Amino acid sequence: METRIELIQGDITKLKVDAIVNAANPSLLGGGGVDGAIHKAAGPGLVEVCRLLGGCKTGEAKITKGYKLPAQFIIHTVGPVWGVGDRHEEELLASCYRKSLAHATVHDCKTIAFPNISTGVYHFPKELAASIAIREVKNYLSANAIPEKVSFVCFDDENFMIYQQLLDQ
Ligand code: AR6
């Protein structure tokens, strides 16, 4: 496995990294899944500042502080919903990873952790999502010194096994 990439199974809200990424929705005001867990763990200061951000388009990313989280920053990105709209889902998901990594570089985040964006409520096929995530992170790392380390955090067993297989190749 590429030494700057790490695979973890567990809850992203517990990680003491410079930045965690949130799989948000365009309102940026919270929701279920990992978004709900992050807002709950970060505390009410997060939604207060999110109200001022004016939402976020699919494929884009915005950054806030981590509030009560062990992570210093939260990078909120909005993944595509699989199977609706103009169907540029693959490119939009790739953009989520690139834009999140770019925020990490600008804010000098040496460590960043990603959840499996869009693979829950948004129903993006897990294997395809993982291959896009790994490709984009590898490409970015080969061109940038910061972040130094990227963690993929899988919550469910299926995603964990998919990432294990793809990263071992
Ligand atoms: N830590 C890490 N990963 C998690 C956690 C956690 N605590 N909880 C869930 N996951 P989802 P989406 C995984 O549905 O598909 C929200 O309501 C989960 O197993 O959270 O991008 C937003 O507000 C799955 O693999 O995000 C949006 O409306 C992955 O996180 C919508 O859901 C993503 O699942 C976004 O949908």
Side-chain angles (χ1 to χ4, degrees):
M1 202 190 286
E2 142 95 66
T3 54
R4 290 168 69 195
I5 294 179
E6 172 185 57
L7 177 62
I8 297 174
Q9 185 164 23
D11 179 354
I12 202 167
T13 65
K14 309 284 189 218
L15 296 186
K16 199 171 178 334
V17 286
D18 294 334
I20 64 167
V21 177
N22 182 17
N25 62 61
S27 78
L28 294 186
L29 298 180
V34 68
D35 192 11
I38 287 172
H39 274 268
K40 192 170 168 213
L46 177 59
V47 77
E48 277 170 34
V49 78
C50 283
R51 278 200 195 96
L52 307 174
L53 295 178
C56 184
K57 288 190 186 133
T58 303
E60 302 284 327
K62 293 192 176 177
I63 190 164
T64 65
K65 288 193 254 176
Y67 297 89
K68 291 182 175 169
L69 288 177
Q72 196 187 349
F73 293 103
I74 305 166
I75 297 167
H76 307 262
T77 189
V78 181
V81 181
W82 181 259
V84 298
D86 52 15
R87 302 195 66 92
H88 294 298
E89 293 98 330
E90 294 182 41
E91 184 42 43
L92 288 167
L93 186 64
S95 170
C96 288
Y97 284 90
R98 286 196 299 268
K99 298 260 166 93
S100 298
L101 289 161
H103 276 297
T105 304
V106 167
H107 288 82
D108 198 32
C109 297
K110 295 185 172 61
T111 51
I112 179 174
F114 282 97
N116 308 134
I117 301 163
S118 282
T119 68
V121 176
Y122 283 180
H123 283 112
F124 203 106
K126 290 181 179 175
E127 200 152 341
L128 180 57
S131 67
I132 292 168
I134 292 168
R135 181 194 72 209
E136 292 302 325
V137 166
K138 281 186 173 170
N139 282 348
Y140 195 89
L141 291 180
S142 67
N144 295 277
I146 307 283
E148 292 171 354
K149 191 158 195 183
V150 176
S151 304
F152 289 115
V153 183
C154 300
F155 199 61
D156 56 278
D157 294 343
E158 196 186 349
N159 264 317
F160 185 69
M161 282 188 292
I162 290 169
Y163 271 80
Q164 238 173 357
Q165 256 179 8
L166 291 176
L167 287 168
D168 277 347
Q169 278 171 14

PDB file of all heavy atoms in Angstrom, residues 11-14 20 22 28 30 34-50 64-76:
ATOM      1  N   ASP A  11     -15.357   5.138  13.377  1.00  0.00           N
ATOM      2  CA  ASP A  11     -16.137   6.377  13.416  1.00  0.00           C
ATOM      3  C   ASP A  11     -15.196   7.560  13.178  1.00  0.00           C
ATOM      4  O   ASP A  11     -14.294   7.819  13.981  1.00  0.00           O
ATOM      5  CB  ASP A  11     -16.787   6.457  14.800  1.00  0.00           C
ATOM      6  CG  ASP A  11     -17.622   7.709  14.993  1.00  0.00           C
ATOM      7  OD1 ASP A  11     -17.635   8.589  14.117  1.00  0.00           O
ATOM      8  OD2 ASP A  11     -18.264   7.805  16.064  1.00  0.00           O
ATOM      9  N   ILE A  12     -15.429   8.293  12.107  1.00  0.00           N
ATOM     10  CA  ILE A  12     -14.526   9.390  11.712  1.00  0.00           C
ATOM     11  C   ILE A  12     -14.512  10.522  12.747  1.00  0.00           C
ATOM     12  O   ILE A  12     -13.521  11.246  12.857  1.00  0.00           O
ATOM     13  CB  ILE A  12     -14.913   9.908  10.304  1.00  0.00           C
ATOM     14  CG1 ILE A  12     -13.724  10.630   9.643  1.00  0.00           C
ATOM     15  CG2 ILE A  12     -16.149  10.794  10.351  1.00  0.00           C
ATOM     16  CD1 ILE A  12     -13.917  10.887   8.161  1.00  0.00           C
ATOM     17  N   THR A  13     -15.575  10.646  13.526  1.00  0.00           N
ATOM     18  CA  THR A  13     -15.637  11.756  14.496  1.00  0.00           C
ATOM     19  C   THR A  13     -14.626  11.587  15.631  1.00  0.00           C
ATOM     20  O   THR A  13     -14.351  12.534  16.354  1.00  0.00           O
ATOM     21  CB  THR A  13     -17.042  11.908  15.127  1.00  0.00           C
ATOM     22  OG1 THR A  13     -17.337  10.751  15.917  1.00  0.00           O
ATOM     23  CG2 THR A  13     -18.098  12.105  14.070  1.00  0.00           C
ATOM     24  N   LYS A  14     -14.101  10.399  15.792  1.00  0.00           N
ATOM     25  CA  LYS A  14     -13.157  10.133  16.897  1.00  0.00           C
ATOM     26  C   LYS A  14     -11.705  10.444  16.530  1.00  0.00           C
ATOM     27  O   LYS A  14     -10.823  10.387  17.384  1.00  0.00           O
ATOM     28  CB  LYS A  14     -13.220   8.648  17.308  1.00  0.00           C
ATOM     29  CG  LYS A  14     -14.613   8.134  17.585  1.00  0.00           C
ATOM     30  CD  LYS A  14     -15.098   8.624  18.937  1.00  0.00           C
ATOM     31  CE  LYS A  14     -16.402   7.928  19.320  1.00  0.00           C
ATOM     32  NZ  LYS A  14     -17.317   8.851  19.999  1.00  0.00           N
ATOM     33  N   ILE A  20     -11.120  16.380   9.086  1.00  0.00           N
ATOM     34  CA  ILE A  20     -11.975  15.293   8.606  1.00  0.00           C
ATOM     35  C   ILE A  20     -12.910  15.868   7.552  1.00  0.00           C
ATOM     36  O   ILE A  20     -13.250  17.059   7.585  1.00  0.00           O
ATOM     37  CB  ILE A  20     -12.786  14.593   9.726  1.00  0.00           C
ATOM     38  CG1 ILE A  20     -13.793  15.532  10.390  1.00  0.00           C
ATOM     39  CG2 ILE A  20     -11.855  13.953  10.758  1.00  0.00           C
ATOM     40  CD1 ILE A  20     -14.811  14.796  11.275  1.00  0.00           C
ATOM     41  N   ASN A  22     -16.593  15.828   5.696  1.00  0.00           N
ATOM     42  CA  ASN A  22     -18.001  15.518   5.944  1.00  0.00           C
ATOM     43  C   ASN A  22     -18.714  15.291   4.623  1.00  0.00           C
ATOM     44  O   ASN A  22     -18.554  16.084   3.687  1.00  0.00           O
ATOM     45  CB  ASN A  22     -18.650  16.690   6.700  1.00  0.00           C
ATOM     46  CG  ASN A  22     -20.101  16.422   7.044  1.00  0.00           C
ATOM     47  OD1 ASN A  22     -20.550  15.282   7.004  1.00  0.00           O
ATOM     48  ND2 ASN A  22     -20.824  17.472   7.393  1.00  0.00           N
ATOM     49  N   LEU A  28     -25.766  22.353   3.947  1.00  0.00           N
ATOM     50  CA  LEU A  28     -24.695  22.355   4.964  1.00  0.00           C
ATOM     51  C   LEU A  28     -25.240  22.504   6.386  1.00  0.00           C
ATOM     52  O   LEU A  28     -24.490  22.846   7.302  1.00  0.00           O
ATOM     53  CB  LEU A  28     -23.650  23.456   4.704  1.00  0.00           C
ATOM     54  CG  LEU A  28     -22.788  23.353   3.455  1.00  0.00           C
ATOM     55  CD1 LEU A  28     -21.728  24.460   3.468  1.00  0.00           C
ATOM     56  CD2 LEU A  28     -22.104  21.997   3.350  1.00  0.00           C
ATOM     57  N   GLY A  30     -26.634  20.051   8.220  1.00  0.00           N
ATOM     58  CA  GLY A  30     -26.701  18.775   8.933  1.00  0.00           C
ATOM     59  C   GLY A  30     -27.679  17.820   8.285  1.00  0.00           C
ATOM     60  O   GLY A  30     -28.414  18.186   7.367  1.00  0.00           O
ATOM     61  N   VAL A  34     -23.048  10.149   8.323  1.00  0.00           N
ATOM     62  CA  VAL A  34     -21.815  10.718   8.866  1.00  0.00           C
ATOM     63  C   VAL A  34     -21.987  12.212   9.170  1.00  0.00           C
ATOM     64  O   VAL A  34     -21.426  12.731  10.142  1.00  0.00           O
ATOM     65  CB  VAL A  34     -20.616  10.411   7.930  1.00  0.00           C
ATOM     66  CG1 VAL A  34     -20.707  11.137   6.615  1.00  0.00           C
ATOM     67  CG2 VAL A  34     -19.304  10.713   8.626  1.00  0.00           C
ATOM     68  N   ASP A  35     -22.801  12.887   8.389  1.00  0.00           N
ATOM     69  CA  ASP A  35     -23.094  14.312   8.596  1.00  0.00           C
ATOM     70  C   ASP A  35     -23.734  14.515   9.976  1.00  0.00           C
ATOM     71  O   ASP A  35     -23.310  15.384  10.759  1.00  0.00           O
ATOM     72  CB  ASP A  35     -24.055  14.765   7.474  1.00  0.00           C
ATOM     73  CG  ASP A  35     -24.211  16.267   7.377  1.00  0.00           C
ATOM     74  OD1 ASP A  35     -23.443  16.995   8.024  1.00  0.00           O
ATOM     75  OD2 ASP A  35     -25.114  16.705   6.627  1.00  0.00           O
ATOM     76  N   GLY A  36     -24.729  13.694  10.287  1.00  0.00           N
ATOM     77  CA  GLY A  36     -25.397  13.784  11.591  1.00  0.00           C
ATOM     78  C   GLY A  36     -24.423  13.517  12.722  1.00  0.00           C
ATOM     79  O   GLY A  36     -24.424  14.218  13.745  1.00  0.00           O
ATOM     80  N   ALA A  37     -23.574  12.495  12.543  1.00  0.00           N
ATOM     81  CA  ALA A  37     -22.605  12.137  13.583  1.00  0.00           C
ATOM     82  C   ALA A  37     -21.610  13.277  13.809  1.00  0.00           C
ATOM     83  O   ALA A  37     -21.260  13.599  14.951  1.00  0.00           O
ATOM     84  CB  ALA A  37     -21.877  10.854  13.185  1.00  0.00           C
ATOM     85  N   ILE A  38     -21.175  13.920  12.733  1.00  0.00           N
ATOM     86  CA  ILE A  38     -20.200  15.019  12.844  1.00  0.00           C
ATOM     87  C   ILE A  38     -20.840  16.218  13.544  1.00  0.00           C
ATOM     88  O   ILE A  38     -20.246  16.804  14.454  1.00  0.00           O
ATOM     89  CB  ILE A  38     -19.628  15.391  11.455  1.00  0.00           C
ATOM     90  CG1 ILE A  38     -18.669  14.296  10.981  1.00  0.00           C
ATOM     91  CG2 ILE A  38     -18.922  16.751  11.494  1.00  0.00           C
ATOM     92  CD1 ILE A  38     -18.186  14.435   9.550  1.00  0.00           C
ATOM     93  N   HIS A  39     -22.053  16.584  13.148  1.00  0.00           N
ATOM     94  CA  HIS A  39     -22.713  17.728  13.799  1.00  0.00           C
ATOM     95  C   HIS A  39     -22.955  17.453  15.275  1.00  0.00           C
ATOM     96  O   HIS A  39     -22.767  18.333  16.115  1.00  0.00           O
ATOM     97  CB  HIS A  39     -24.015  18.077  13.082  1.00  0.00           C
ATOM     98  CG  HIS A  39     -23.807  19.009  11.927  1.00  0.00           C
ATOM     99  ND1 HIS A  39     -23.898  20.374  12.052  1.00  0.00           N
ATOM    100  CD2 HIS A  39     -23.474  18.763  10.639  1.00  0.00           C
ATOM    101  CE1 HIS A  39     -23.642  20.935  10.877  1.00  0.00           C
ATOM    102  NE2 HIS A  39     -23.379  19.979   9.995  1.00  0.00           N
ATOM    103  N   LYS A  40     -23.343  16.220  15.595  1.00  0.00           N
ATOM    104  CA  LYS A  40     -23.604  15.876  17.000  1.00  0.00           C
ATOM    105  C   LYS A  40     -22.319  15.985  17.822  1.00  0.00           C
ATOM    106  O   LYS A  40     -22.306  16.554  18.909  1.00  0.00           O
ATOM    107  CB  LYS A  40     -24.164  14.454  17.055  1.00  0.00           C
ATOM    108  CG  LYS A  40     -24.738  14.102  18.390  1.00  0.00           C
ATOM    109  CD  LYS A  40     -25.510  12.791  18.340  1.00  0.00           C
ATOM    110  CE  LYS A  40     -25.803  12.356  19.779  1.00  0.00           C
ATOM    111  NZ  LYS A  40     -25.803  10.910  19.924  1.00  0.00           N
ATOM    112  N   ALA A  41     -21.236  15.450  17.274  1.00  0.00           N
ATOM    113  CA  ALA A  41     -19.971  15.449  18.026  1.00  0.00           C
ATOM    114  C   ALA A  41     -19.331  16.840  18.074  1.00  0.00           C
ATOM    115  O   ALA A  41     -18.660  17.181  19.048  1.00  0.00           O
ATOM    116  CB  ALA A  41     -19.010  14.442  17.389  1.00  0.00           C
ATOM    117  N   ALA A  42     -19.538  17.643  17.035  1.00  0.00           N
ATOM    118  CA  ALA A  42     -18.911  18.976  16.986  1.00  0.00           C
ATOM    119  C   ALA A  42     -19.636  19.973  17.883  1.00  0.00           C
ATOM    120  O   ALA A  42     -19.041  20.935  18.358  1.00  0.00           O
ATOM    121  CB  ALA A  42     -18.874  19.496  15.557  1.00  0.00           C
ATOM    122  N   GLY A  43     -20.944  19.743  18.096  1.00  0.00           N
ATOM    123  CA  GLY A  43     -21.717  20.647  18.942  1.00  0.00           C
ATOM    124  C   GLY A  43     -22.354  21.776  18.140  1.00  0.00           C
ATOM    125  O   GLY A  43     -22.086  21.938  16.944  1.00  0.00           O
ATOM    126  N   PRO A  44     -23.201  22.572  18.792  1.00  0.00           N
ATOM    127  CA  PRO A  44     -24.032  23.564  18.088  1.00  0.00           C
ATOM    128  C   PRO A  44     -23.261  24.701  17.432  1.00  0.00           C
ATOM    129  O   PRO A  44     -23.801  25.389  16.557  1.00  0.00           O
ATOM    130  CB  PRO A  44     -24.960  24.104  19.181  1.00  0.00           C
ATOM    131  CG  PRO A  44     -24.309  23.747  20.476  1.00  0.00           C
ATOM    132  CD  PRO A  44     -23.482  22.514  20.233  1.00  0.00           C
ATOM    133  N   GLY A  45     -22.018  24.921  17.819  1.00  0.00           N
ATOM    134  CA  GLY A  45     -21.220  25.974  17.178  1.00  0.00           C
ATOM    135  C   GLY A  45     -21.066  25.717  15.690  1.00  0.00           C
ATOM    136  O   GLY A  45     -20.951  26.658  14.887  1.00  0.00           O
ATOM    137  N   LEU A  46     -21.093  24.448  15.306  1.00  0.00           N
ATOM    138  CA  LEU A  46     -20.883  24.118  13.895  1.00  0.00           C
ATOM    139  C   LEU A  46     -22.033  24.589  13.021  1.00  0.00           C
ATOM    140  O   LEU A  46     -21.816  25.257  12.003  1.00  0.00           O
ATOM    141  CB  LEU A  46     -20.657  22.606  13.734  1.00  0.00           C
ATOM    142  CG  LEU A  46     -20.496  22.125  12.296  1.00  0.00           C
ATOM    143  CD1 LEU A  46     -19.323  22.815  11.607  1.00  0.00           C
ATOM    144  CD2 LEU A  46     -20.323  20.611  12.237  1.00  0.00           C
ATOM    145  N   VAL A  47     -23.254  24.266  13.403  1.00  0.00           N
ATOM    146  CA  VAL A  47     -24.379  24.651  12.538  1.00  0.00           C
ATOM    147  C   VAL A  47     -24.526  26.175  12.494  1.00  0.00           C
ATOM    148  O   VAL A  47     -24.907  26.748  11.467  1.00  0.00           O
ATOM    149  CB  VAL A  47     -25.686  23.924  12.933  1.00  0.00           C
ATOM    150  CG1 VAL A  47     -26.327  24.516  14.171  1.00  0.00           C
ATOM    151  CG2 VAL A  47     -26.679  23.936  11.777  1.00  0.00           C
ATOM    152  N   GLU A  48     -24.173  26.843  13.599  1.00  0.00           N
ATOM    153  CA  GLU A  48     -24.238  28.314  13.606  1.00  0.00           C
ATOM    154  C   GLU A  48     -23.355  28.913  12.512  1.00  0.00           C
ATOM    155  O   GLU A  48     -23.781  29.801  11.784  1.00  0.00           O
ATOM    156  CB  GLU A  48     -23.790  28.855  14.968  1.00  0.00           C
ATOM    157  CG  GLU A  48     -24.897  28.853  15.989  1.00  0.00           C
ATOM    158  CD  GLU A  48     -24.375  29.156  17.386  1.00  0.00           C
ATOM    159  OE1 GLU A  48     -23.421  29.950  17.506  1.00  0.00           O
ATOM    160  OE2 GLU A  48     -24.940  28.587  18.335  1.00  0.00           O
ATOM    161  N   VAL A  49     -22.134  28.409  12.388  1.00  0.00           N
ATOM    162  CA  VAL A  49     -21.243  28.961  11.364  1.00  0.00           C
ATOM    163  C   VAL A  49     -21.638  28.455   9.969  1.00  0.00           C
ATOM    164  O   VAL A  49     -21.514  29.176   8.978  1.00  0.00           O
ATOM    165  CB  VAL A  49     -19.759  28.700  11.699  1.00  0.00           C
ATOM    166  CG1 VAL A  49     -19.349  27.292  11.380  1.00  0.00           C
ATOM    167  CG2 VAL A  49     -18.852  29.670  10.982  1.00  0.00           C
ATOM    168  N   CYS A  50     -22.170  27.230   9.910  1.00  0.00           N
ATOM    169  CA  CYS A  50     -22.593  26.701   8.606  1.00  0.00           C
ATOM    170  C   CYS A  50     -23.720  27.538   7.997  1.00  0.00           C
ATOM    171  O   CYS A  50     -23.803  27.693   6.784  1.00  0.00           O
ATOM    172  CB  CYS A  50     -23.040  25.243   8.742  1.00  0.00           C
ATOM    173  SG  CYS A  50     -21.653  24.090   8.879  1.00  0.00           S
ATOM    174  N   THR A  64     -14.663  24.504   7.715  1.00  0.00           N
ATOM    175  CA  THR A  64     -14.939  25.174   8.993  1.00  0.00           C
ATOM    176  C   THR A  64     -13.955  24.641  10.031  1.00  0.00           C
ATOM    177  O   THR A  64     -13.241  23.665   9.784  1.00  0.00           O
ATOM    178  CB  THR A  64     -16.361  24.875   9.535  1.00  0.00           C
ATOM    179  OG1 THR A  64     -16.450  23.476   9.852  1.00  0.00           O
ATOM    180  CG2 THR A  64     -17.443  25.257   8.552  1.00  0.00           C
ATOM    181  N   LYS A  65     -13.989  25.244  11.200  1.00  0.00           N
ATOM    182  CA  LYS A  65     -13.236  24.679  12.320  1.00  0.00           C
ATOM    183  C   LYS A  65     -13.930  23.399  12.796  1.00  0.00           C
ATOM    184  O   LYS A  65     -15.081  23.135  12.442  1.00  0.00           O
ATOM    185  CB  LYS A  65     -13.185  25.702  13.460  1.00  0.00           C
ATOM    186  CG  LYS A  65     -12.276  26.867  13.145  1.00  0.00           C
ATOM    187  CD  LYS A  65     -12.003  27.668  14.396  1.00  0.00           C
ATOM    188  CE  LYS A  65     -12.764  28.967  14.353  1.00  0.00           C
ATOM    189  NZ  LYS A  65     -12.656  29.776  15.553  1.00  0.00           N
ATOM    190  N   GLY A  66     -13.240  22.667  13.649  1.00  0.00           N
ATOM    191  CA  GLY A  66     -13.791  21.383  14.109  1.00  0.00           C
ATOM    192  C   GLY A  66     -14.624  21.483  15.378  1.00  0.00           C
ATOM    193  O   GLY A  66     -15.230  20.507  15.795  1.00  0.00           O
ATOM    194  N   TYR A  67     -14.643  22.667  15.998  1.00  0.00           N
ATOM    195  CA  TYR A  67     -15.398  22.860  17.246  1.00  0.00           C
ATOM    196  C   TYR A  67     -15.032  21.772  18.259  1.00  0.00           C
ATOM    197  O   TYR A  67     -13.867  21.627  18.577  1.00  0.00           O
ATOM    198  CB  TYR A  67     -16.906  23.011  16.965  1.00  0.00           C
ATOM    199  CG  TYR A  67     -17.094  24.259  16.133  1.00  0.00           C
ATOM    200  CD1 TYR A  67     -17.034  24.205  14.739  1.00  0.00           C
ATOM    201  CD2 TYR A  67     -17.204  25.499  16.739  1.00  0.00           C
ATOM    202  CE1 TYR A  67     -17.095  25.362  13.971  1.00  0.00           C
ATOM    203  CE2 TYR A  67     -17.273  26.659  15.982  1.00  0.00           C
ATOM    204  CZ  TYR A  67     -17.216  26.586  14.606  1.00  0.00           C
ATOM    205  OH  TYR A  67     -17.263  27.721  13.867  1.00  0.00           O
ATOM    206  N   LYS A  68     -15.979  21.007  18.757  1.00  0.00           N
ATOM    207  CA  LYS A  68     -15.653  20.060  19.840  1.00  0.00           C
ATOM    208  C   LYS A  68     -14.999  18.761  19.363  1.00  0.00           C
ATOM    209  O   LYS A  68     -14.733  17.868  20.161  1.00  0.00           O
ATOM    210  CB  LYS A  68     -16.923  19.711  20.616  1.00  0.00           C
ATOM    211  CG  LYS A  68     -17.462  20.872  21.430  1.00  0.00           C
ATOM    212  CD  LYS A  68     -18.678  20.418  22.201  1.00  0.00           C
ATOM    213  CE  LYS A  68     -19.183  21.511  23.126  1.00  0.00           C
ATOM    214  NZ  LYS A  68     -20.512  21.163  23.661  1.00  0.00           N
ATOM    215  N   LEU A  69     -14.782  18.647  18.079  1.00  0.00           N
ATOM    216  CA  LEU A  69     -14.150  17.417  17.560  1.00  0.00           C
ATOM    217  C   LEU A  69     -12.657  17.403  17.893  1.00  0.00           C
ATOM    218  O   LEU A  69     -12.045  18.463  18.020  1.00  0.00           O
ATOM    219  CB  LEU A  69     -14.266  17.368  16.033  1.00  0.00           C
ATOM    220  CG  LEU A  69     -15.612  17.104  15.402  1.00  0.00           C
ATOM    221  CD1 LEU A  69     -15.468  17.172  13.893  1.00  0.00           C
ATOM    222  CD2 LEU A  69     -16.155  15.765  15.820  1.00  0.00           C
ATOM    223  N   PRO A  70     -12.071  16.216  17.958  1.00  0.00           N
ATOM    224  CA  PRO A  70     -10.611  16.171  18.068  1.00  0.00           C
ATOM    225  C   PRO A  70      -9.914  16.728  16.818  1.00  0.00           C
ATOM    226  O   PRO A  70      -8.776  17.191  16.901  1.00  0.00           O
ATOM    227  CB  PRO A  70     -10.289  14.677  18.246  1.00  0.00           C
ATOM    228  CG  PRO A  70     -11.573  13.938  18.274  1.00  0.00           C
ATOM    229  CD  PRO A  70     -12.697  14.885  18.029  1.00  0.00           C
ATOM    230  N   ALA A  71     -10.583  16.676  15.675  1.00  0.00           N
ATOM    231  CA  ALA A  71     -10.008  17.223  14.437  1.00  0.00           C
ATOM    232  C   ALA A  71     -10.075  18.757  14.466  1.00  0.00           C
ATOM    233  O   ALA A  71     -11.056  19.329  14.939  1.00  0.00           O
ATOM    234  CB  ALA A  71     -10.766  16.702  13.222  1.00  0.00           C
ATOM    235  N   GLN A  72      -9.032  19.391  13.907  1.00  0.00           N
ATOM    236  CA  GLN A  72      -8.982  20.858  13.931  1.00  0.00           C
ATOM    237  C   GLN A  72      -9.966  21.495  12.937  1.00  0.00           C
ATOM    238  O   GLN A  72     -10.556  22.527  13.210  1.00  0.00           O
ATOM    239  CB  GLN A  72      -7.551  21.291  13.587  1.00  0.00           C
ATOM    240  CG  GLN A  72      -7.254  22.726  13.942  1.00  0.00           C
ATOM    241  CD  GLN A  72      -5.885  23.151  13.427  1.00  0.00           C
ATOM    242  OE1 GLN A  72      -5.068  22.329  12.977  1.00  0.00           O
ATOM    243  NE2 GLN A  72      -5.624  24.443  13.478  1.00  0.00           N
ATOM    244  N   PHE A  73     -10.101  20.852  11.770  1.00  0.00           N
ATOM    245  CA  PHE A  73     -10.975  21.388  10.715  1.00  0.00           C
ATOM    246  C   PHE A  73     -11.966  20.318  10.243  1.00  0.00           C
ATOM    247  O   PHE A  73     -11.680  19.122  10.328  1.00  0.00           O
ATOM    248  CB  PHE A  73     -10.157  21.805   9.485  1.00  0.00           C
ATOM    249  CG  PHE A  73      -9.251  22.982   9.702  1.00  0.00           C
ATOM    250  CD1 PHE A  73      -7.882  22.795   9.867  1.00  0.00           C
ATOM    251  CD2 PHE A  73      -9.757  24.280   9.717  1.00  0.00           C
ATOM    252  CE1 PHE A  73      -7.032  23.880  10.049  1.00  0.00           C
ATOM    253  CE2 PHE A  73      -8.916  25.368   9.900  1.00  0.00           C
ATOM    254  CZ  PHE A  73      -7.548  25.176  10.070  1.00  0.00           C
ATOM    255  N   ILE A  74     -13.085  20.816   9.706  1.00  0.00           N
ATOM    256  CA  ILE A  74     -14.026  19.941   8.993  1.00  0.00           C
ATOM    257  C   ILE A  74     -14.147  20.491   7.570  1.00  0.00           C
ATOM    258  O   ILE A  74     -14.404  21.692   7.383  1.00  0.00           O
ATOM    259  CB  ILE A  74     -15.430  19.940   9.637  1.00  0.00           C
ATOM    260  CG1 ILE A  74     -15.358  19.576  11.118  1.00  0.00           C
ATOM    261  CG2 ILE A  74     -16.358  18.970   8.883  1.00  0.00           C
ATOM    262  CD1 ILE A  74     -16.649  19.885  11.886  1.00  0.00           C
ATOM    263  N   ILE A  75     -13.929  19.634   6.611  1.00  0.00           N
ATOM    264  CA  ILE A  75     -14.110  20.027   5.210  1.00  0.00           C
ATOM    265  C   ILE A  75     -15.429  19.404   4.752  1.00  0.00           C
ATOM    266  O   ILE A  75     -15.572  18.179   4.730  1.00  0.00           O
ATOM    267  CB  ILE A  75     -12.916  19.556   4.350  1.00  0.00           C
ATOM    268  CG1 ILE A  75     -11.639  20.245   4.842  1.00  0.00           C
ATOM    269  CG2 ILE A  75     -13.181  19.860   2.872  1.00  0.00           C
ATOM    270  CD1 ILE A  75     -10.353  19.652   4.302  1.00  0.00           C
ATOM    271  N   HIS A  76     -16.404  20.265   4.443  1.00  0.00           N
ATOM    272  CA  HIS A  76     -17.737  19.805   4.093  1.00  0.00           C
ATOM    273  C   HIS A  76     -17.827  19.715   2.576  1.00  0.00           C
ATOM    274  O   HIS A  76     -17.643  20.732   1.888  1.00  0.00           O
ATOM    275  CB  HIS A  76     -18.795  20.789   4.592  1.00  0.00           C
ATOM    276  CG  HIS A  76     -18.663  21.094   6.062  1.00  0.00           C
ATOM    277  ND1 HIS A  76     -19.423  20.470   7.018  1.00  0.00           N
ATOM    278  CD2 HIS A  76     -17.836  21.951   6.733  1.00  0.00           C
ATOM    279  CE1 HIS A  76     -19.068  20.929   8.218  1.00  0.00           C
ATOM    280  NE2 HIS A  76     -18.117  21.832   8.069  1.00  0.00           N
TER     281      HIS A  76
END
